[in-house]
Amino acid sequence: MMRLRQTAADLHVHANTVDYRLRQVGWLTGLDPVRDDQLPRLVAALVAFDARSSPG
């Protein structure tokens, strides 16, 4: 819970906003963004999405 609050403070949003967004990521991807073992897959998905969305 402390990491969530610190993340919210760093992002200048409410802790509930961070929690909601993490749940949305989980719902959209089927992965749990809170689990360390699933983070590499999420990062890879973001990199692929960014590469696909970039012009050029």
Side-chain angles (χ1 to χ4, degrees):
M1 188 62 159
M2 290 301 287
R3 288 176 58 183
L4 185 118
R5 288 185 181 164
Q6 184 59 52
T7 300
D10 292 345
L11 295 171
H12 305 288
V13 298
H14 195 277
N16 290 345
T17 301
V18 174
D19 183 55
Y20 171 77
R21 290 178 184 175
L22 289 172
R23 283 187 280 120
Q24 287 296 105
V25 167
W27 183 79
L28 290 168
T29 64
L31 299 170
D32 186 353
V34 178
R35 289 184 45 188
D36 290 339
D37 65 322
Q38 294 188 5
L39 286 177
R41 292 178 76 188
L42 285 169
V43 171
L46 285 171
V47 169
F49 179 79
D50 284 344
R52 193 184 84 153
S53 301
S54 297

